[in-house]
Protein backbone atom coordinates (compact mmCIF):
# COMPACT_ATOMS: atom_id res chain seq x y z
CA UNK A 1 0.00 0.00 0.00
CA UNK A 2 1.22 3.51 -0.77
CA UNK A 3 2.69 5.32 2.24
CA UNK A 4 2.67 2.20 4.39
CA UNK A 5 5.66 0.78 6.22
CA UNK A 6 7.04 -2.58 5.06
CA UNK A 7 7.95 -4.89 7.97
CA UNK A 8 10.72 -7.44 7.38
CA UNK A 9 11.81 -10.09 9.88
CA UNK A 10 15.56 -9.60 9.71
CA UNK A 11 18.13 -8.64 7.15
CA UNK A 12 18.37 -11.93 5.27
CA UNK A 13 15.91 -13.40 2.77
CA UNK A 14 13.45 -15.88 4.28
CA UNK A 15 14.75 -18.68 2.10
CA UNK A 16 18.51 -19.01 1.78
CA UNK A 17 20.72 -21.86 0.55
CA UNK A 18 22.21 -23.81 3.39
CA UNK A 19 25.02 -26.30 2.91
CA UNK A 20 25.97 -28.79 5.59
CA UNK A 21 28.61 -31.47 5.63
CA UNK A 22 26.24 -33.63 7.67
CA UNK A 23 23.85 -33.68 4.72
CA UNK A 24 26.55 -34.81 2.36
CA UNK A 25 24.78 -38.14 1.92
CA UNK A 26 21.54 -36.41 0.84
CA UNK A 27 22.93 -33.42 -1.06
CA UNK A 28 22.51 -29.67 -0.33
CA UNK A 29 19.18 -28.67 1.16
CA UNK A 30 17.12 -25.48 1.41
CA UNK A 31 16.15 -24.26 4.84
CA UNK A 32 13.92 -21.52 6.16
CA UNK A 33 15.81 -18.77 7.90
CA UNK A 34 13.99 -17.18 10.82
CA UNK A 35 15.68 -13.86 11.77
CA UNK A 36 14.95 -12.67 15.28
CA UNK A 37 14.68 -8.87 14.96
CA UNK A 38 11.95 -6.90 13.09
CA UNK A 39 13.18 -4.00 10.97
CA UNK A 40 11.20 -1.16 9.43
CA UNK A 41 12.62 -0.67 5.99
CA UNK A 42 10.96 2.73 5.77
CA UNK A 43 12.85 3.97 8.85
CA UNK A 44 16.20 2.42 7.91
CA UNK A 45 16.62 2.77 4.14
CA UNK A 46 20.38 2.19 4.40
CA UNK A 47 19.78 -1.43 5.43
CA UNK A 48 19.59 -3.73 2.45
CA UNK A 49 19.02 -7.43 1.93
CA UNK A 50 22.17 -9.52 1.55
CA UNK A 51 22.35 -13.22 0.65
CA UNK A 52 23.62 -15.44 3.48
CA UNK A 53 25.15 -18.91 3.64
CA UNK A 54 25.39 -21.13 6.74
CA UNK A 55 28.20 -23.69 6.77
CA UNK A 56 27.95 -26.38 9.42
CA UNK A 57 30.70 -28.79 10.31
CA UNK A 58 30.01 -32.46 10.97
CA UNK A 59 32.19 -34.29 13.59
CA UNK A 60 32.59 -37.32 11.32
CA UNK A 61 34.77 -35.24 9.00
CA UNK A 62 37.27 -34.81 11.83
CA UNK A 63 37.41 -38.49 12.76
CA UNK A 64 40.90 -39.81 13.37
CA UNK A 65 42.59 -42.98 12.17
CA UNK A 66 39.64 -45.18 13.08
CA UNK A 67 36.69 -43.52 11.37
CA UNK A 68 34.81 -46.78 10.92
CA UNK A 69 34.88 -47.46 14.66
CA UNK A 70 33.37 -44.05 15.38
CA UNK A 71 30.61 -44.54 12.82
CA UNK A 72 29.81 -48.05 13.99
CA UNK A 73 29.74 -47.16 17.70
CA UNK A 74 28.52 -43.59 17.34
CA UNK A 75 26.47 -43.54 20.56
CA UNK A 76 27.23 -46.87 22.16
CA UNK A 77 24.74 -49.26 23.71
CA UNK A 78 22.17 -47.25 25.67
CA UNK A 79 18.85 -48.24 27.22
CA UNK A 80 17.09 -50.59 24.80
CA UNK A 81 20.30 -51.23 22.87
CA UNK A 82 22.01 -52.29 26.11
CA UNK A 83 19.22 -54.79 26.78
CA UNK A 84 19.67 -56.22 23.29
CA UNK A 85 23.41 -56.52 23.88
CA UNK A 86 22.85 -58.38 27.16
CA UNK A 87 20.42 -60.74 25.41
CA UNK A 88 23.07 -61.50 22.78
CA UNK A 89 25.69 -62.19 25.47
CA UNK A 90 23.29 -64.53 27.27
CA UNK A 91 22.69 -66.34 23.99
CA UNK A 92 26.43 -66.85 23.46
CA UNK A 93 26.84 -68.05 27.05
CA UNK A 94 24.18 -70.72 26.50
CA UNK A 95 25.98 -71.93 23.36
CA UNK A 96 29.31 -72.09 25.23
CA UNK A 97 27.74 -74.05 28.11
CA UNK A 98 26.25 -76.61 25.74
CA UNK A 99 29.58 -77.08 24.00
CA UNK A 100 31.94 -77.15 27.00
CA UNK A 101 29.95 -77.38 30.22
CA UNK A 102 28.88 -74.86 32.88
CA UNK A 103 32.20 -74.63 34.76
CA UNK A 104 34.33 -71.70 33.53
CA UNK A 105 37.47 -73.33 34.96
CA UNK A 106 37.18 -76.15 32.43
CA UNK A 107 35.51 -74.14 29.66
CA UNK A 108 37.79 -71.37 28.41
CA UNK A 109 35.21 -70.08 25.94
CA UNK A 110 32.69 -69.64 28.73
CA UNK A 111 35.29 -68.00 30.99
CA UNK A 112 36.14 -65.47 28.27
CA UNK A 113 32.45 -64.69 27.66
CA UNK A 114 31.78 -64.18 31.37
CA UNK A 115 34.67 -61.75 31.54
CA UNK A 116 33.38 -59.83 28.52
CA UNK A 117 29.96 -59.60 30.16
CA UNK A 118 31.49 -58.17 33.30
CA UNK A 119 33.52 -55.63 31.32
CA UNK A 120 30.24 -54.42 29.75
CA UNK A 121 28.60 -54.16 33.21
CA UNK A 122 26.15 -57.01 32.63
CA UNK A 123 24.51 -57.85 36.00
CA UNK A 124 25.96 -60.85 37.81
CA UNK A 125 22.48 -62.29 38.29
CA UNK A 126 21.90 -62.22 34.52
CA UNK A 127 25.19 -64.02 33.86
CA UNK A 128 24.40 -66.75 36.40
CA UNK A 129 20.86 -67.11 35.05
CA UNK A 130 22.20 -67.60 31.52
CA UNK A 131 24.60 -70.32 32.71
CA UNK A 132 22.01 -72.15 34.82
CA UNK A 133 19.30 -71.85 32.18
CA UNK A 134 21.42 -73.19 29.31
CA UNK A 135 20.17 -76.76 29.71
CA UNK A 136 16.53 -75.75 30.11
CA UNK A 137 16.51 -73.21 27.28
CA UNK A 138 15.04 -74.17 23.96
CA UNK A 139 17.71 -75.76 21.82
CA UNK A 140 18.72 -73.84 18.71
CA UNK A 141 20.79 -74.39 15.61
CA UNK A 142 24.01 -72.43 15.10
CA UNK A 143 24.67 -71.17 11.57
CA UNK A 144 27.22 -68.89 9.93
CA UNK A 145 25.90 -66.87 6.99
CA UNK A 146 28.23 -65.31 4.43
CA UNK A 147 27.21 -62.00 2.88
CA UNK A 148 28.40 -59.02 0.87
CA UNK A 149 27.75 -55.47 2.09
CA UNK A 150 28.05 -51.94 0.67
CA UNK A 151 31.18 -51.13 -1.31
CA UNK A 152 32.09 -54.79 -1.81
CA UNK A 153 32.61 -55.38 1.92
CA UNK A 154 32.26 -58.91 3.31
CA UNK A 155 30.25 -60.01 6.35
CA UNK A 156 30.04 -63.11 8.50
CA UNK A 157 26.76 -63.38 10.41
CA UNK A 158 26.54 -65.79 13.36
CA UNK A 159 22.98 -66.86 14.20
CA UNK A 160 21.32 -69.14 16.73
CA UNK A 161 17.76 -70.02 15.83
CA UNK A 162 15.04 -72.65 16.27
CA UNK A 163 13.79 -71.95 12.72
CA UNK A 164 16.65 -71.68 10.28
CA UNK A 165 14.39 -71.07 7.26
CA UNK A 166 12.69 -68.10 8.93
CA UNK A 167 15.98 -66.57 10.10
CA UNK A 168 17.60 -67.06 6.69
CA UNK A 169 14.74 -65.23 4.97
CA UNK A 170 14.83 -62.41 7.55
CA UNK A 171 18.57 -61.87 7.20
CA UNK A 172 18.32 -62.04 3.40
CA UNK A 173 15.59 -59.38 3.41
CA UNK A 174 17.58 -57.05 5.71
CA UNK A 175 20.65 -57.40 3.51
CA UNK A 176 18.78 -56.61 0.30
CA UNK A 177 17.02 -53.63 1.88
CA UNK A 178 20.31 -52.04 2.98
CA UNK A 179 22.59 -52.62 0.01
CA UNK A 180 23.81 -56.15 0.72
CA UNK A 181 23.22 -59.71 -0.41
CA UNK A 182 23.90 -63.31 0.56
CA UNK A 183 27.01 -64.73 -1.10
CA UNK A 184 29.50 -67.59 -0.94
CA UNK A 185 33.20 -67.25 -0.34
CA UNK A 186 33.20 -64.48 2.29
CA UNK A 187 34.65 -66.86 4.88
CA UNK A 188 37.89 -67.09 2.89
CA UNK A 189 38.64 -63.44 3.75
CA UNK A 190 38.53 -64.15 7.49
CA UNK A 191 40.58 -66.27 9.86
CA UNK A 192 39.63 -67.33 13.36
CA UNK A 193 42.10 -65.85 15.80
CA UNK A 194 42.56 -65.20 19.48
CA UNK A 195 42.22 -61.51 20.36
CA UNK A 196 43.36 -60.00 23.66
CA UNK A 197 42.08 -56.47 24.28
CA UNK A 198 44.05 -54.01 26.43
CA UNK A 199 43.74 -50.27 27.14
CA UNK A 200 45.69 -48.15 24.67
CA UNK A 201 46.20 -45.05 26.80
CA UNK A 202 49.83 -44.25 27.46
CA UNK A 203 51.15 -46.83 24.98
CA UNK A 204 52.68 -45.84 21.66
CA UNK A 205 52.28 -48.12 18.67
CA UNK A 206 56.01 -48.85 18.66
CA UNK A 207 55.87 -49.97 22.29
CA UNK A 208 52.73 -52.02 21.59
CA UNK A 209 54.55 -53.86 18.79
CA UNK A 210 57.44 -54.62 21.14
CA UNK A 211 54.99 -55.98 23.72
CA UNK A 212 53.30 -58.11 21.06
CA UNK A 213 56.62 -59.71 20.13
CA UNK A 214 57.52 -60.35 23.78
CA UNK A 215 54.09 -61.84 24.54
CA UNK A 216 54.06 -64.09 21.46
CA UNK A 217 51.27 -62.28 19.56
CA UNK A 218 51.22 -62.17 15.77
CA UNK A 219 49.94 -58.63 15.37
CA UNK A 220 48.52 -55.65 17.25
CA UNK A 221 45.80 -53.31 16.05
CA UNK A 222 44.47 -49.96 17.22
CA UNK A 223 40.75 -49.47 17.79
CA UNK A 224 38.34 -47.60 20.07
CA UNK A 225 35.46 -48.46 22.37
CA UNK A 226 32.00 -46.87 22.43
CA UNK A 227 33.35 -43.92 24.43
CA UNK A 228 36.16 -43.34 21.91
CA UNK A 229 38.83 -44.52 24.36
CA UNK A 230 41.85 -46.09 22.62
CA UNK A 231 42.18 -49.86 22.76
CA UNK A 232 44.82 -52.31 21.55
CA UNK A 233 43.96 -55.70 20.08
CA UNK A 234 46.73 -58.28 20.34
CA UNK A 235 46.03 -60.92 17.69
CA UNK A 236 47.39 -64.45 18.13
CA UNK A 237 46.79 -68.07 17.19
CA UNK A 238 43.74 -69.67 18.80
CA UNK A 239 45.86 -72.09 20.82
CA UNK A 240 48.05 -69.24 22.16
CA UNK A 241 45.21 -67.07 23.50
CA UNK A 242 45.63 -67.82 27.21
CA UNK A 243 49.43 -67.74 26.98
CA UNK A 244 49.50 -64.34 25.28
CA UNK A 245 47.14 -62.90 27.85
CA UNK A 246 49.23 -64.22 30.75
CA UNK A 247 52.40 -62.89 29.12
CA UNK A 248 50.90 -59.41 28.68
CA UNK A 249 49.80 -59.28 32.29
CA UNK A 250 53.29 -60.42 33.27
CA UNK A 251 54.59 -57.41 31.33
CA UNK A 252 52.35 -55.11 33.43
CA UNK A 253 49.81 -54.63 30.64
CA UNK A 254 46.26 -54.84 32.06
CA UNK A 255 43.90 -56.79 29.79
CA UNK A 256 40.17 -56.23 29.40
CA UNK A 257 39.11 -59.40 27.61
CA UNK A 258 40.29 -62.37 25.59
CA UNK A 259 38.12 -64.08 22.99
CA UNK A 260 38.01 -65.93 19.69
CA UNK A 261 37.11 -63.71 16.75
CA UNK A 262 36.93 -63.78 12.96
CA UNK A 263 39.71 -61.41 11.90
CA UNK A 264 39.59 -60.01 8.36
CA UNK A 265 42.60 -60.60 6.12
CA UNK A 266 41.57 -58.45 3.14
CA UNK A 267 40.06 -55.12 4.27
CA UNK A 268 37.52 -53.33 2.08
CA UNK A 269 38.13 -49.57 1.85
CA UNK A 270 34.83 -47.66 1.96
CA UNK A 271 33.97 -44.00 1.40
CA UNK A 272 32.07 -41.98 4.01
CA UNK A 273 28.78 -42.50 2.15
CA UNK A 274 29.38 -46.26 2.02
CA UNK A 275 30.34 -46.28 5.71
CA UNK A 276 27.01 -44.68 6.57
CA UNK A 277 25.09 -47.33 4.62
CA UNK A 278 27.19 -50.12 6.14
CA UNK A 279 26.56 -48.76 9.64
CA UNK A 280 22.81 -48.87 9.05
CA UNK A 281 23.04 -52.43 7.74
CA UNK A 282 25.02 -53.65 10.74
CA UNK A 283 22.56 -51.89 13.03
CA UNK A 284 19.50 -53.71 11.68
CA UNK A 285 21.35 -57.04 11.58
CA UNK A 286 22.41 -56.74 15.21
CA UNK A 287 18.84 -55.86 16.18
CA UNK A 288 17.63 -59.17 14.73
CA UNK A 289 16.85 -61.45 17.72
CA UNK A 290 18.45 -64.54 16.15
CA UNK A 291 21.72 -62.83 15.18
CA UNK A 292 24.50 -63.28 17.75
CA UNK A 293 27.39 -61.42 16.14
CA UNK A 294 28.35 -59.83 12.83
CA UNK A 295 31.97 -59.67 11.62
CA UNK A 296 33.12 -57.38 8.80
CA UNK A 297 36.24 -56.44 6.87
CA UNK A 298 35.33 -52.76 6.60
CA UNK A 299 37.97 -50.05 6.80
CA UNK A 300 37.60 -46.31 6.19
CA UNK A 301 39.44 -44.70 3.33
CA UNK A 302 42.06 -42.17 4.41
Amino acid sequence: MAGGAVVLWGLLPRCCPRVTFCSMFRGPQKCLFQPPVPVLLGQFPQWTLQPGHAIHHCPVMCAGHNKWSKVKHVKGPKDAARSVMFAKMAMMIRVAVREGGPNPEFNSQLANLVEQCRSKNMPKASIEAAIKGAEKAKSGTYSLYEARGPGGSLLLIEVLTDNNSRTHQTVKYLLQKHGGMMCDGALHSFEKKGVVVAPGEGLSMDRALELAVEAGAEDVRETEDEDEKPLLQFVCDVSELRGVRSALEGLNVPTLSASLEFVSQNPALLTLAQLETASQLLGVLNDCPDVMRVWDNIQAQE
Side-chain angles (χ1 to χ4, degrees):
M1 297 178 60
V6 179
V7 179
L8 297 179
W9 293 96
L11 296 178
L12 293 176
R14 294 184 60 81
C15 184
C16 66
R18 177 171 178 166
V19 180
T20 68
F21 287 113
C22 291
S23 63
M24 61 186 301
F25 304 110
R26 304 184 300 272
Q29 297 179 330
K30 295 288 185 178
C31 69
L32 291 180
F33 186 87
Q34 299 293 340
V37 182
V39 178
L40 287 172
L41 187 59
Q43 295 181 5
F44 303 97
Q46 70 274 19
W47 290 10
T48 59
L49 295 177
Q50 298 293 335
H53 295 265
I55 304 297
H56 288 258
H57 197 270
C58 180
V60 75
M61 298 297 291
C62 284
H65 65 278
N66 200 4
K67 299 175 184 177
W68 170 235
S69 176
K70 292 188 178 182
V71 173
K72 187 165 56 172
H73 304 296
V74 61
K75 289 187 178 179
K78 302 291 184 183
D79 302 330
R82 185 175 292 273
S83 298
V84 171
M85 179 184 65
F86 289 164
K88 305 286 186 184
M89 299 300 294
M91 189 187 304
M92 290 187 283
I93 286 176
R94 290 195 292 269
V95 173
V97 170
R98 290 173 189 166
E99 293 179 351
N103 191 341
E105 294 183 4
F106 303 102
N107 188 341
S108 58
Q109 183 181 359
L110 176 60
N112 292 331
L113 282 172
V114 169
E115 190 165 357
Q116 290 180 53
C117 292
R118 290 172 178 167
S119 68
K120 296 182 181 297
N121 298 318
M122 184 174 178
K124 182 179 179 181
S126 299
I127 298 175
E128 295 176 350
I131 296 175
K132 293 178 181 178
E135 298 298 331
K136 299 179 182 179
K138 184 185 296 185
S139 61
T141 303
Y142 170 86
S143 297
L144 182 66
Y145 298 158
E146 300 174 77
R148 187 176 297 277
S153 58
L154 299 175
L155 309 175
L156 295 181
I157 307 169
E158 291 186 279
V159 303
L160 182 67
T161 176
D162 57 354
N163 189 328
N164 194 58
S165 177
R166 178 202 65 209
T167 303
H168 186 274
Q169 290 299 321
T170 299
V171 172
K172 183 178 180 180
Y173 168 76
L174 293 175
L175 285 167
Q176 292 177 345
K177 186 178 179 180
H178 295 275
M181 60 182 293
M182 290 285 195
C183 74
D184 294 325
L187 185 59
H188 297 306
S189 294
F190 295 84
E191 188 173 358
K192 202 159 193 178
K193 292 288 186 180
V195 178
V196 181
V197 180
E201 296 178 344
L203 279 177
S204 65
M205 195 58 186
D206 290 339
R207 177 54 181 160
L209 289 171
E210 293 176 0
L211 291 171
V213 173
E214 294 180 37
E218 299 174 358
D219 192 13
V220 60
R221 302 183 177 186
E222 292 179 298
T223 184
E224 294 173 342
D225 62 10
E226 293 88 351
D227 298 322
E228 299 187 5
K229 294 181 180 179
L231 298 175
L232 294 173
Q233 294 179 329
F234 293 88
V235 182
C236 63
D237 189 77
V238 171
S239 60
E240 300 294 330
L241 179 61
R242 300 183 69 177
V244 169
R245 182 173 194 177
S246 298
L248 287 172
E249 292 177 346
L251 294 169
N252 298 320
V253 178
T255 60
L256 302 176
S257 65
S259 60
L260 301 180
E261 300 184 5
F262 285 101
V263 178
S264 64
Q265 304 300 314
N266 303 307
L269 301 178
L270 270 60
T271 63
L272 286 176
Q274 292 169 337
L275 288 177
E276 181 72 13
T277 304
S279 180
Q280 294 175 359
L281 172 59
L282 292 186
V284 296
L285 287 175
N286 282 306
D287 287 340
C288 181
D290 295 333
V291 174
M292 293 195 301
R293 286 176 294 193
V294 182
W295 309 98
D296 64 76
N297 70 336
I298 296 172
Q299 184 174 327
Q301 289 185 1
E302 294 296 337

mmCIF file of all heavy atoms in Angstrom, residues 205-224:
data_model
loop_
_atom_site.group_PDB
_atom_site.id
_atom_site.type_symbol
_atom_site.label_atom_id
_atom_site.label_comp_id
_atom_site.label_asym_id
_atom_site.label_seq_id
_atom_site.Cartn_x
_atom_site.Cartn_y
_atom_site.Cartn_z
ATOM 1 N N MET A 205 52.382 -46.957 19.530
ATOM 2 C CA MET A 205 52.277 -48.123 18.671
ATOM 3 C C MET A 205 53.594 -48.887 18.621
ATOM 4 O O MET A 205 53.602 -50.122 18.556
ATOM 5 C CB MET A 205 51.851 -47.689 17.265
ATOM 6 C CG MET A 205 51.374 -48.825 16.404
ATOM 7 S SD MET A 205 49.982 -49.694 17.156
ATOM 8 C CE MET A 205 49.783 -51.065 15.994
ATOM 9 N N ASP A 206 54.708 -48.183 18.665
ATOM 10 C CA ASP A 206 56.012 -48.853 18.660
ATOM 11 C C ASP A 206 56.176 -49.734 19.893
ATOM 12 O O ASP A 206 56.641 -50.877 19.801
ATOM 13 C CB ASP A 206 57.140 -47.813 18.609
ATOM 14 C CG ASP A 206 57.212 -47.112 17.265
ATOM 15 O OD1 ASP A 206 56.689 -47.676 16.282
ATOM 16 O OD2 ASP A 206 57.763 -45.990 17.207
ATOM 17 N N ARG A 207 55.776 -49.194 21.051
ATOM 18 C CA ARG A 207 55.871 -49.973 22.287
ATOM 19 C C ARG A 207 54.899 -51.155 22.257
ATOM 20 O O ARG A 207 55.216 -52.254 22.730
ATOM 21 C CB ARG A 207 55.586 -49.075 23.493
ATOM 22 C CG ARG A 207 55.595 -49.792 24.839
ATOM 23 C CD ARG A 207 56.891 -50.552 25.064
ATOM 24 N NE ARG A 207 56.896 -51.265 26.336
ATOM 25 C CZ ARG A 207 57.708 -52.287 26.609
ATOM 26 N NH1 ARG A 207 58.574 -52.711 25.681
ATOM 27 N NH2 ARG A 207 57.661 -52.874 27.779
ATOM 28 N N ALA A 208 53.721 -50.939 21.689
ATOM 29 C CA ALA A 208 52.734 -52.019 21.595
ATOM 30 C C ALA A 208 53.269 -53.161 20.732
ATOM 31 O O ALA A 208 53.055 -54.342 21.041
ATOM 32 C CB ALA A 208 51.430 -51.484 21.021
ATOM 33 N N LEU A 209 53.971 -52.825 19.646
ATOM 34 C CA LEU A 209 54.552 -53.860 18.787
ATOM 35 C C LEU A 209 55.635 -54.638 19.534
ATOM 36 O O LEU A 209 55.746 -55.859 19.388
ATOM 37 C CB LEU A 209 55.129 -53.224 17.524
ATOM 38 C CG LEU A 209 54.095 -52.691 16.515
ATOM 39 C CD1 LEU A 209 54.781 -51.885 15.422
ATOM 40 C CD2 LEU A 209 53.309 -53.855 15.907
ATOM 41 N N GLU A 210 56.416 -53.938 20.338
ATOM 42 C CA GLU A 210 57.440 -54.616 21.139
ATOM 43 C C GLU A 210 56.785 -55.579 22.134
ATOM 44 O O GLU A 210 57.247 -56.714 22.310
ATOM 45 C CB GLU A 210 58.291 -53.588 21.885
ATOM 46 C CG GLU A 210 59.150 -52.708 20.982
ATOM 47 C CD GLU A 210 59.894 -51.636 21.761
ATOM 48 O OE1 GLU A 210 59.724 -51.596 23.007
ATOM 49 O OE2 GLU A 210 60.634 -50.843 21.147
ATOM 50 N N LEU A 211 55.703 -55.124 22.777
ATOM 51 C CA LEU A 211 54.993 -55.984 23.724
ATOM 52 C C LEU A 211 54.388 -57.198 23.030
ATOM 53 O O LEU A 211 54.371 -58.297 23.588
ATOM 54 C CB LEU A 211 53.895 -55.179 24.428
ATOM 55 C CG LEU A 211 54.363 -54.092 25.390
ATOM 56 C CD1 LEU A 211 53.187 -53.223 25.837
ATOM 57 C CD2 LEU A 211 55.037 -54.728 26.622
ATOM 58 N N ALA A 212 53.889 -56.997 21.808
ATOM 59 C CA ALA A 212 53.299 -58.113 21.063
ATOM 60 C C ALA A 212 54.347 -59.184 20.785
ATOM 61 O O ALA A 212 54.079 -60.384 20.917
ATOM 62 C CB ALA A 212 52.693 -57.601 19.761
ATOM 63 N N VAL A 213 55.550 -58.758 20.398
ATOM 64 C CA VAL A 213 56.625 -59.711 20.133
ATOM 65 C C VAL A 213 56.999 -60.451 21.407
ATOM 66 O O VAL A 213 57.166 -61.687 21.415
ATOM 67 C CB VAL A 213 57.846 -58.983 19.537
ATOM 68 C CG1 VAL A 213 59.034 -59.935 19.428
ATOM 69 C CG2 VAL A 213 57.505 -58.404 18.168
ATOM 70 N N GLU A 214 57.143 -59.729 22.516
ATOM 71 C CA GLU A 214 57.520 -60.346 23.785
ATOM 72 C C GLU A 214 56.451 -61.309 24.288
ATOM 73 O O GLU A 214 56.770 -62.338 24.901
ATOM 74 C CB GLU A 214 57.776 -59.264 24.831
ATOM 75 C CG GLU A 214 58.978 -58.374 24.533
ATOM 76 C CD GLU A 214 59.189 -57.324 25.600
ATOM 77 O OE1 GLU A 214 58.968 -57.651 26.786
ATOM 78 O OE2 GLU A 214 59.570 -56.191 25.269
ATOM 79 N N ALA A 215 55.169 -60.998 24.030
ATOM 80 C CA ALA A 215 54.092 -61.844 24.539
ATOM 81 C C ALA A 215 53.766 -63.005 23.607
ATOM 82 O O ALA A 215 53.008 -63.901 23.978
ATOM 83 C CB ALA A 215 52.837 -60.996 24.748
ATOM 84 N N GLY A 216 54.319 -63.003 22.401
ATOM 85 C CA GLY A 216 54.059 -64.085 21.463
ATOM 86 C C GLY A 216 52.869 -63.853 20.564
ATOM 87 O O GLY A 216 52.357 -64.804 19.943
ATOM 88 N N ALA A 217 52.392 -62.600 20.446
ATOM 89 C CA ALA A 217 51.269 -62.283 19.564
ATOM 90 C C ALA A 217 51.768 -62.095 18.132
ATOM 91 O O ALA A 217 52.936 -61.762 17.895
ATOM 92 C CB ALA A 217 50.560 -61.025 20.041
ATOM 93 N N GLU A 218 50.872 -62.308 17.179
ATOM 94 C CA GLU A 218 51.220 -62.173 15.768
ATOM 95 C C GLU A 218 51.106 -60.737 15.276
ATOM 96 O O GLU A 218 51.827 -60.327 14.365
ATOM 97 C CB GLU A 218 50.303 -63.056 14.918
ATOM 98 C CG GLU A 218 50.408 -64.541 15.247
ATOM 99 C CD GLU A 218 49.384 -65.352 14.481
ATOM 100 O OE1 GLU A 218 48.585 -64.746 13.739
ATOM 101 O OE2 GLU A 218 49.372 -66.586 14.621
ATOM 102 N N ASP A 219 50.200 -59.986 15.857
ATOM 103 C CA ASP A 219 49.943 -58.633 15.369
ATOM 104 C C ASP A 219 49.265 -57.840 16.481
ATOM 105 O O ASP A 219 48.763 -58.399 17.459
ATOM 106 C CB ASP A 219 49.031 -58.681 14.132
ATOM 107 C CG ASP A 219 48.968 -57.353 13.402
ATOM 108 O OD1 ASP A 219 49.793 -56.466 13.693
ATOM 109 O OD2 ASP A 219 48.077 -57.185 12.544
ATOM 110 N N VAL A 220 49.245 -56.519 16.322
ATOM 111 C CA VAL A 220 48.525 -55.646 17.251
ATOM 112 C C VAL A 220 47.831 -54.574 16.431
ATOM 113 O O VAL A 220 48.393 -54.046 15.465
ATOM 114 C CB VAL A 220 49.490 -55.020 18.290
ATOM 115 C CG1 VAL A 220 50.574 -54.191 17.620
ATOM 116 C CG2 VAL A 220 48.716 -54.179 19.292
ATOM 117 N N ARG A 221 46.601 -54.270 16.799
ATOM 118 C CA ARG A 221 45.798 -53.308 16.049
ATOM 119 C C ARG A 221 45.219 -52.263 16.989
ATOM 120 O O ARG A 221 44.903 -52.562 18.143
ATOM 121 C CB ARG A 221 44.656 -54.020 15.314
ATOM 122 C CG ARG A 221 45.137 -55.096 14.348
ATOM 123 C CD ARG A 221 43.987 -55.727 13.585
ATOM 124 N NE ARG A 221 44.449 -56.715 12.606
ATOM 125 C CZ ARG A 221 43.661 -57.319 11.731
ATOM 126 N NH1 ARG A 221 42.361 -57.058 11.724
ATOM 127 N NH2 ARG A 221 44.149 -58.195 10.886
ATOM 128 N N GLU A 222 45.083 -51.049 16.457
ATOM 129 C CA GLU A 222 44.471 -49.956 17.218
ATOM 130 C C GLU A 222 42.972 -49.902 16.924
ATOM 131 O O GLU A 222 42.549 -50.064 15.779
ATOM 132 C CB GLU A 222 45.105 -48.621 16.831
ATOM 133 C CG GLU A 222 46.541 -48.472 17.257
ATOM 134 C CD GLU A 222 47.108 -47.128 16.813
ATOM 135 O OE1 GLU A 222 47.152 -46.906 15.583
ATOM 136 O OE2 GLU A 222 47.475 -46.321 17.676
ATOM 137 N N THR A 223 42.182 -49.660 17.962
ATOM 138 C CA THR A 223 40.751 -49.475 17.785
ATOM 139 C C THR A 223 40.248 -48.579 18.914
ATOM 140 O O THR A 223 41.050 -48.016 19.665
ATOM 141 C CB THR A 223 40.010 -50.829 17.768
ATOM 142 O OG1 THR A 223 38.627 -50.616 17.496
ATOM 143 C CG2 THR A 223 40.158 -51.541 19.107
ATOM 144 N N GLU A 224 38.941 -48.444 19.032
ATOM 145 C CA GLU A 224 38.338 -47.598 20.067
ATOM 146 C C GLU A 224 37.083 -48.260 20.583
ATOM 147 O O GLU A 224 36.436 -49.043 19.875
ATOM 148 C CB GLU A 224 38.002 -46.214 19.506
ATOM 149 C CG GLU A 224 39.217 -45.401 19.104
ATOM 150 C CD GLU A 224 38.838 -44.104 18.408
ATOM 151 O OE1 GLU A 224 37.684 -44.010 17.941
ATOM 152 O OE2 GLU A 224 39.682 -43.197 18.331
#
